[in-house]
Amino acid sequence: MKRVAAVDLGASSGRVMLGEVGAHVLELREVHRFWNGPVRAHGRLHWDILQLYRSTLDGLRTAGALDGIGIDSWAVDYGLLDADGRLLRNPVHYRDSRTDGVMERVLEKVPAADLYAVTGLQQLPFNTIYQLTAEALEGATSLLMIPDLLGYWLTGEIGVERTNASTTQLFDVRSREWSDELISRVGLPRRVFPQLREPGDVIGNALPDETGLAPGIPVIAVGSHDTASSVVAVPAADERFAYISSGTWSLVGLELDAPVLTDAAREANFTNEGGVDGRIRFLRNVMGLWILQECQRVWGDDDLDGLLRDAAAAPSFTTLIDPDAPEFLAPGNMPKRIEEHCRATGQEPPRSRGAMVRCILESLALAYRRTLRAAQSIAGREVDVLHVIGGGSQNELLCQLTADACGLPVLAGPVEASALGNVLVQARALGEPLPDLAAMRALVRSTHRLRTYTPQGKPADWDAAESRMFGTR
């Protein structure tokens, strides 16, 4: 039996989860949860990275005796170290406006087709390549993704784990190394890109004097992009599955053995991100529950169950939005933006909160449907079941709408997929007999309750709604 801590950092909260893994045992217990979110200072949106590190240490100290520690987080954001190993400045949040217009400048140097041929990555304006282009890099000697930065503070060891490196748009998805050619063409300094690590590599031991932890605890590289860890914990019985990692963002895709770098994949804006054991996460980012979360913030309404009951009672397909429209990306008055989007597309805005929530969830389900069908067509992979993992798997209305829209059974759970994937990779590195992803997923299936949603309703209604929704672009 291994007793390990999963530090799981999301875009709105962080957790330290205590995991126990052994023969027929996979248990998680939350020992510390803490706030995470953007902090605006002098016109710039930052992460409060020192607060995250302090809260991480608080959780690790609370966890007690440990056999290992692993850290996962969101992608694309980073910290820069100077020659003395000190953080140059507070990491900037990916939703900050500093990258406005930067993508267009980079594409003048390196056309989109060239970028995709090497990285296989979805074009998003906040990708690391565009953040670095907007950054003053004088004095920087090392770039560390957020989990690698916290791992460095824990151990003193510098390096970047591959699944998160694959989200930078500066990583060769075939060789699984930094792309020196792209780094040069964009005009970035090669010196800042450290050695890469595999999930399962031991980074080093936590420094007891620095951290207050017991001596000799190994910090282990996991699938440090939280979605890479989440996909480890998809409780699939075979390869004919698709997944939605559902939270602030929704990542909709397939697990493949090799990247898909065709023109069709690029034009459809699919990404090929690294997974554990060399797998490829062929997916597309779809705006997720962020839109609903921002509506709740503006309304000052924490009663999600009540909102979902009202949404379930609201009429279907009254209004639809494109959840990936750029006006929904940044924090702000989301209900007003939805109303403006509806008017701009010739629709009457929702007249109640329940109707607005229904609009958001039906629109998300339609975006999932369109993305999943495109992924299957482009990759040449048919699926029999759709796994919804993460926090969004608890949203019963969204799960049912997703099953209805996609015409597939939805298997919902586990909720704590990223933490489970984190502890499973640690346990294997520490000697537990989990030789491959199939063994890890079998352990998840045997130890966690899942819920099945069967497609209902008329497929023709969803066909008409999809035609109406995407015909407004």
Side-chain angles (χ1 to χ4, degrees), residues 160-221:
V160 172
E161 186 275 321
R162 279 186 167 86
T163 68
N164 224 336
S166 74
T167 72
T168 63
Q169 214 167 10
L170 293 161
F171 177 89
D172 188 318
V173 71
R174 290 165 298 188
S175 71
R176 303 179 68 245
E177 299 289 344
W178 296 118
S179 173
D180 291 346
E181 177 192 0
L182 285 183
I183 291 168
S184 174
R185 289 179 68 180
V186 176
L188 298 172
R190 180 62 179 84
R191 70 177 186 274
V192 305
F193 296 93
Q195 183 175 349
L196 294 167
R197 303 178 176 125
E198 291 285 353
D201 286 351
V202 175
I203 297 170
N205 289 340
L207 302 169
D209 293 341
E210 287 278 333
T211 64
L213 300 173
I217 303 174
V219 179
I220 298 167

Side-chain angles (χ1 to χ4, degrees), residues 236-311:
D238 57 40
E239 295 185 348
R240 291 176 62 88
F241 73 92
Y243 60 84
I244 301 175
S245 181
S246 178
T248 300
W249 285 92
S250 295
L251 294 96
V252 184
L254 312 172
E255 183 178 72
L256 304 176
D257 293 327
V260 181
L261 303 176
T262 61
D263 288 341
R266 176 177 60 82
E267 289 166 2
N269 213 18
F270 274 86
T271 202
N272 294 268
E273 294 175 353
V276 171
D277 289 356
R279 300 294 179 90
I280 294 294
R281 293 175 288 122
F282 183 67
L283 59 89
R284 190 159 64 195
N285 282 39
V286 175
M287 195 75 74
L289 291 168
W290 162 253
I291 298 176
L292 176 55
Q293 291 163 357
E294 277 293 276
C295 284
Q296 287 186 263
R297 183 186 64 79
V298 171
W299 291 332
D301 191 341
D302 293 330
D303 183 13
L304 179 59
D305 289 342
L307 288 171
L308 292 176
R309 284 195 298 271
D310 292 344

Side-chain angles (χ1 to χ4, degrees), residues 3 15 32 40 59 89 94 100 117 122 148 170 187 210 223 242 291 316 329 357 362 407 429 447 464:
R3 194 173 191 270
R15 296 87 52 81
H32 189 46
R40 187 170 294 280
R89 60 187 70 90
Y94 63 85
D100 290 354
Q122 180 180 7
D148 303 306
L170 293 161
E210 287 278 333
I291 298 176
S316 299
L329 178 61
V357 173
E362 285 183 337
T447 55

Side-chain angles (χ1 to χ4, degrees), residues 176-456:
R176 303 179 68 245
E177 299 289 344
W178 296 118
S179 173
D180 291 346
E181 177 192 0
L182 285 183
I183 291 168
S184 174
R185 289 179 68 180
V186 176
L188 298 172
R190 180 62 179 84
R191 70 177 186 274
V192 305
F193 296 93
Q195 183 175 349
L196 294 167
R197 303 178 176 125
E198 291 285 353
D201 286 351
V202 175
I203 297 170
N205 289 340
L207 302 169
D209 293 341
E210 287 278 333
T211 64
L213 300 173
I217 303 174
V219 179
I220 298 167
V222 295
S224 68
H225 182 197
D226 53 11
T227 309
S229 279
S230 294
V231 173
V232 169
V234 170
D238 57 40
E239 295 185 348
R240 291 176 62 88
F241 73 92
Y243 60 84
I244 301 175
S245 181
S246 178
T248 300
W249 285 92
S250 295
L251 294 96
V252 184
L254 312 172
E255 183 178 72
L256 304 176
D257 293 327
V260 181
L261 303 176
T262 61
D263 288 341
R266 176 177 60 82
E267 289 166 2
N269 213 18
F270 274 86
T271 202
N272 294 268
E273 294 175 353
V276 171
D277 289 356
R279 300 294 179 90
I280 294 294
R281 293 175 288 122
F282 183 67
L283 59 89
R284 190 159 64 195
N285 282 39
V286 175
M287 195 75 74
L289 291 168
W290 162 253
I291 298 176
L292 176 55
Q293 291 163 357
E294 277 293 276
C295 284
Q296 287 186 263
R297 183 186 64 79
V298 171
W299 291 332
D301 191 341
D302 293 330
D303 183 13
L304 179 59
D305 289 342
L307 288 171
L308 292 176
R309 284 195 298 271
D310 292 344
S316 299
F317 307 126
T318 301
T319 55
L320 297 168
I321 62 172
D322 175 3
D324 292 320
E327 57 263 36
F328 301 132
L329 178 61
N333 190 334
M334 204 63 72
K336 182 180 178 182
R337 292 177 187 174
I338 290 172
E339 292 171 2
E340 292 172 347
H341 182 95
C342 289
R343 292 191 181 97
T345 53
Q347 304 176 89
E348 184 71 21
R351 295 185 177 182
S352 68
R353 291 181 181 178
M356 186 164 285
V357 173
R358 180 96 190 190
C359 163
I360 293 167
L361 298 186
E362 285 183 337
S363 299
L364 286 175
L366 283 165
Y368 300 161
R369 163 192 168 111
R370 187 176 176 89
T371 301
L372 180 56
R373 292 186 174 186
Q376 293 179 85
S377 174
I378 293 167
R381 167 76 65 85
E382 293 186 359
V383 303
D384 301 324
V385 62
L386 174 57
H387 288 271
V388 177
I389 55 177
S393 67
Q394 299 176 98
N395 189 317
E396 295 181 6
L397 179 56
L398 178 57
C399 287
Q400 185 61 61
L401 291 171
T402 300
D404 299 346
C406 296
L408 287 169
V410 164
L411 204 57
V415 175
E416 300 291 355
S418 53
L420 286 170
N422 182 319
V423 303
L424 285 165
V425 170
Q426 287 191 69
R428 181 173 67 175
L430 292 166
E432 284 295 321
L434 296 165
D436 53 25
L437 290 172
M440 295 181 187
R441 289 166 176 164
L443 184 58
V444 175
R445 287 198 306 278
S446 68
T447 55
H448 284 73
R449 179 180 174 273
L450 309 173
R451 179 164 181 178
T452 300
Y453 296 83
T454 302
Q456 300 175 4

